[in-house]
Amino acid sequence: MDDDRQFHALFVASIGSRQAFTQYRKFTGIDMCHTHSALNYVLTVNTGLDANDALVIFSYGLLRVENTANWTWWMEHSRVALVGLNREDSAVISDRQKVRACSALGGRVTR
């Protein structure tokens, strides 16, 4: 929230997810979808695979709108919460819209 008392963004990464991230494959997928509700937010998710190839959610959140500024905010929070996300041996996969925001991780960004 800011001075106008309106919700802008939410980022959630539980302590269990944060600790689990250090034990999983150094591969994560980041994506979003628009909610179909009266508020019409953007649901964001950061996922990975465990040793049995099962999908694991590391973090999730809500954004008011999908734009570069919000995705950069999301990626910066992901980098802080998921220690090692920006390591050289880690891979992040996302769609093309988020390439500029992914550069917030500080690593190589390829299209």
Side-chain angles (χ1 to χ4, degrees):
M1 278 202 239
D2 61 7
D3 292 338
D4 62 3
R5 308 281 301 157
Q6 289 187 350
F7 173 83
H8 291 278
L10 169 73
F11 179 88
V12 177
S14 70
I15 190 69
S17 294
R18 294 171 70 177
Q19 291 172 344
F21 180 78
T22 63
Q23 304 301 314
Y24 285 81
R25 297 178 187 175
K26 299 301 179 215
F27 170 84
T28 185
I30 298 171
D31 207 0
M32 57 71 63
C33 68
H34 292 273
T35 62
H36 295 287
S37 66
L39 301 175
N40 201 28
Y41 289 115
V42 178
L43 174 66
T44 56
V45 66
N46 191 330
T47 61
L49 297 173
D50 68 7
N52 295 320
D53 289 332
L55 193 64
V56 179
I57 297 174
F58 296 122
S59 61
Y60 62 92
L62 292 171
L63 304 172
R64 288 281 289 184
V65 295
E66 181 184 13
N67 60 26
T68 301
N70 282 339
W71 273 110
T72 301
W73 178 89
W74 171 262
M75 292 304 296
E76 288 171 353
H77 280 74
S78 294
R79 181 181 54 81
V80 171
L82 304 174
V83 175
L85 184 62
N86 60 340
R87 287 180 24 174
E88 189 67 30
D89 63 344
S90 293
V92 176
I93 187 169
S94 186
D95 63 13
R96 197 169 169 187
Q97 294 172 325
K98 298 162 197 72
V99 169
R100 278 185 265 154
C102 286
S103 63
L105 292 175
R108 281 188 315 231
V109 176
T110 45
R111 294 180 181 207

